[in-house]
Amino acid sequence: MDYVLAVADYLVYDKVYDTFLPKFGAVALPRDNIARQYISLSLITVVFGFILYFSVASLSYHYIFDKRLEKHPRFLRNQVQLEIECSSKNIVPMSLLTAPFFVLEVRGYSLLYDECKLSDTPYLLLSIALFLLVTDFGIYLIHRGLHHKSIYGPIHKLHHKWIVPTPYASHAFHFLDGYSQSLPYHLVIFLFPIHKLVYLGLFVFVNIWTVLIHDGAYFDSGEIINSASNHTIHHLYFNYNYGQYFTLWDRVFNSYRACPADIFDKEKRHEIKSSLKASKDSDAIRAQIESSDKCGKIN
């Protein structure tokens, strides 16, 4: 993130801090001032958060998402608008909570590094694999924990409002829900070395991946990769498929549920019989879960 901050300082922030702060009687803040870094990185995170969300989700919705799913019995009225409104409310508070990790990174407290030689290629590839496996495990634990009855109602239930999600539902959750599930991405840079550009690319990738598992396009059966088919099962049946990238941890901890043929098949899943059966099963599980918490029904 220090690359991004350096460019932003050069193009925008130097002029803003050096020109406008003195006009209000404040002292111009140097680049290495921690308060300036937090404010600057917070704004960068907010702006890029909105850009990534709306660009990727919109492209996915218009060109990949199967819009026949909007006729599903559990697709809400004005759902796309509601998903966008919910997501838009979360990006700012999530960015403010995330910025301290970027400040630590910029100030050199992480294991991110700059230099890279051709001989470092094997470790670069290994670090990518480690990132995916470690963060997938962390997200699995946090996501499953969010389904505990004491946490599910006040925090995670909102995301399960979207039983048949669109790509715009990818960030439509309580901001503490999204923040807690993002923690492994930020903590991993304190566990093992990762090249700064590789980490930046992976950070963009995880945001895109979050959209793709909500796109309703089942390009993969989900036996190994935690694809949209797996995550659709999670939204329908709640207590399965908590993983982010792979089915490994769901299989290890016995929470994997395969996508049945009548849902995976692009034609069969739109048949009235199939959609009504899935809706009935989902309603039964949902009623059982909501009866065990104290937060009432999802409106």
Side-chain angles (χ1 to χ4, degrees), residues 71-133:
K71 297 179 181 179
H72 192 282
R74 293 300 174 267
F75 195 86
L76 304 178
R77 182 181 180 183
N78 299 323
Q79 181 172 313
V80 170
Q81 178 183 342
L82 293 172
E83 291 171 340
I84 292 174
E85 289 176 355
C86 182
S87 299
S88 299
K89 292 177 182 177
N90 294 326
I91 291 175
V92 172
M94 280 186 60
S95 298
L96 295 177
L97 290 172
T98 300
F101 290 104
F102 293 143
V103 171
L104 291 174
E105 172 194 330
V106 167
R107 297 182 74 83
Y109 291 103
S110 73
L111 296 177
L112 295 175
Y113 63 93
D114 287 289
E115 295 183 3
C116 184
K117 303 175 183 177
L118 185 60
S119 59
D120 296 330
T121 302
Y123 181 76
L124 281 178
L125 298 176
L126 176 62
S127 66
I128 294 173
L130 284 173
F131 176 92
L132 295 176
L133 286 172

Side-chain angles (χ1 to χ4, degrees), residues 152 157 285-293 296-298:
Y152 175 79
K157 179 188 287 189
I285 297 172
R286 177 174 169 170
Q288 182 180 6
I289 291 172
E290 292 184 347
S291 67
S292 65
D293 65 53
K297 295 181 178 179
I298 306 173

